[in-house]
Amino acid sequence: MPHDGSLLQAAVIFLLATVITVPLAKRLQLGAVLGYLAAGVLIGPSALGLISDTESVARLSELGVVLLLFIIGLELSPRRLWVMRRSVFGIGLAQVLLTSLVIGAIAWLGFAQSLNTAAVLGLGLALSSTAFGLQILAERKELTSPHGRLAFAILLFQDIAAIPLIALLPVISGAGELEADRDTLVHLLQVVGSIGAVIVGGRYLLRPVFRIVAKTHLQEVSTATALLVVIGTAWLMELVGVSMALGAFIAGLLLADSEYRHELESQIEPFKGLLLGLFFISVGMTADFGLLLNEPLLVIGLTLLLVLIKLPLLYLVGRHGGGLDRAHAIRLGIILAAGGEFAFVVFKLAFEQKLLDNRLHDLLVLGITLSMAITPLLVLVLFRLFKARPAPVDVPEEYARIDSDEPRVVVAGMGRMGQIIARVLRAQRVPFVALDTAVEMIDYGRSLGSMPIYYGDPLRPEILRAAKVDKADFLIIATDDPDTNLKTAERVKHLYPHIKIIARARNRQHVHRLLDLGAVPVRETFHSALEMSRQALLGMGLDEDRANARIRRFQRHDEEVLAAQHRVYNDDAAMIQTAREARTELEHLFDADLIEDKGVQ
């Protein structure tokens, strides 16, 4: 018996299914997307039947895709979109045309579909899932990788292409051609007018509104305003038959250069995550798995055929159009080979226009859903087989050619800590050489003056030789990656045992491992935290001498505890005992401070 009579009960069912399946999928390294899909299948009509009103859930869950596209728009800007025009309108157009032609031809010639139906099948199945693709790329932190950037450009074009495709469905169906021509023109004018209204409103109305709301200093009003902008724009676009997601993307794009961009992103992000999860759940709920049980070979064959057609075509587009190497092109194909959420909309309208019969429509929806479901599995398996090499970095020759006398200090890493160290060394006229693998950091460092900063990975022996580490007194490792710091310290100690190493440490465990390598660890937040504590004590009325004494006492105690823990840090029981003893001793020190304060008063 379905339990969707109560909104509260339905919410509990959704949340419970999510809490069970998503962590399990993540633990099995299948990704959150597959976990959400499994949750939808579990509570949907095909399994337990806990939720039967899948249509309402699907409508609400579309807001997840809307919010996702809004945030993507915020992270772009019109200037950056113009830079991407070749990828979006060149490669994106090539992918849609090539894929739709091949799939349409197979449907027409191989499966004896009518020309109009084959055209709809080709165009609909050429679309990929924006929500799935971007979520997987975000989970894997590959949105800025070569295949991630190209995938985003292609998906953006597909979202744009879905608008005319949906508008042209009545014309493709051949229903009322003369009337369709007139309706199409009217619809086109409505679309242009709505987009123009969004652009004008975003440019001239939204900033004053946000300025007024910001002055209220009420968080809930700020959140409501952010949601109003996104949902209101999506609603306006839907009224004229435009993709809600594209409308939200335009709104985000218009606010990308706004001073309120970060505030908007922080307000929308929690809602985006929840509703996007609900979207994936709704996809799992709407699939008719009874059809899979009755005709398994047909459904599985259709799913595999879709993936096996799109993947090589996407590989070709990425390899020859996008200039990707083999591994990145294969990854692009895997991410975008599945069907997309806009295909559900296209095929539903095509079914209403009698271009698809009921059985074919159900087969297509199930095939697209299964293609989405197997995408995380393909990512898990094939990404390991085809490991992508890091993209080549365009390094100016003067950055790579290390020209140095005999430095007394070599600094590895020119981030926040490295820059301060380099400025101090330069002010004291200590000869040094700095290394970094980020060209932007080198640009910035050299812009401050003729800093001896060069491009180079300190893990490579030839770079260490070129930097004349063997002649230096100190190597300071200041990168923000603990593993890189440990590996660098180990490599340098092995090659140059005489050199003294001072290394940035992330936490206490990192400190112990650096001490084992003979390095002097410096905790990256420890001293700044002590200074903040000192300022707080001063603000609460302690005089400067007493505040400084308390901070020195705490620092000395903490360093003694750290040294004691280093002797037993591989023994969990001993570590726990040491921590308890240290806490008791610290309490005694604080008690002594309180007695001293009362005596002074």
Side-chain angles (χ1 to χ4, degrees), residues 238-312:
E238 190 185 34
L239 281 180
V240 295
V242 177
S243 157
M244 291 193 298
L246 185 65
F249 173 78
I250 294 171
L253 197 65
L254 292 170
L255 292 168
D257 294 324
S258 164
E259 61 272 29
Y260 303 104
R261 179 172 75 88
H262 296 294
E263 175 71 13
L264 282 166
E265 191 169 352
S266 65
Q267 301 284 4
I268 295 295
E269 186 67 37
F271 296 96
K272 185 265 295 183
L274 279 173
L275 289 170
L276 200 57
L278 185 61
F279 168 78
F280 297 132
I281 290 174
S282 75
V283 171
M285 288 172 59
T286 52
D288 181 8
F289 281 87
L291 195 58
L292 177 61
L293 296 175
N294 294 330
E295 301 182 76
L297 293 178
L298 180 61
V299 174
I300 293 171
L302 178 64
T303 304
L304 293 178
L305 182 63
L306 173 62
V307 173
L308 292 174
I309 290 172
K310 289 183 73 174
L311 202 155

Side-chain angles (χ1 to χ4, degrees), residues 98 310-323 329 332:
L98 181 61
K310 289 183 73 174
L311 202 155
L313 292 176
L314 283 159
Y315 172 84
L316 289 173
V317 168
R319 193 93 163 89
H320 300 291
L332 174 74

Side-chain angles (χ1 to χ4, degrees), residues 130-261:
T130 301
F132 260 64
L134 295 182
Q135 180 79 357
I136 290 171
L137 287 168
E139 278 184 12
R140 300 183 62 87
K141 298 188 170 105
E142 293 180 353
L143 278 168
T144 57
S145 65
H147 66 275
R149 289 194 297 268
L150 191 59
F152 171 72
I154 291 172
L155 288 168
L156 181 54
F157 179 81
Q158 288 179 359
D159 290 343
I160 296 170
I163 300 167
L165 174 57
I166 292 168
L168 289 171
L169 273 175
V171 179
I172 295 173
S173 69
E177 294 176 6
L178 292 175
E179 191 176 336
D181 289 340
R182 186 176 68 254
D183 290 344
T184 302
L185 181 60
V186 171
H187 181 250
L188 185 63
L189 291 173
Q190 289 176 333
V191 169
V192 172
S194 299
I195 292 175
V198 170
I199 291 172
V200 171
R203 186 67 66 189
Y204 299 108
L205 296 179
L206 288 183
R207 290 190 183 191
V209 169
F210 282 122
R211 198 174 297 118
I212 293 167
V213 170
K215 288 178 181 177
T216 66
H217 301 292
L218 294 173
Q219 188 74 18
E220 62 273 20
V221 178
S222 180
T223 302
T225 308
L227 288 172
L228 176 63
V229 169
V230 184
I231 297 173
T233 307
W235 172 70
L236 178 63
M237 293 292 104
E238 190 185 34
L239 281 180
V240 295
V242 177
S243 157
M244 291 193 298
L246 185 65
F249 173 78
I250 294 171
L253 197 65
L254 292 170
L255 292 168
D257 294 324
S258 164
E259 61 272 29
Y260 303 104
R261 179 172 75 88

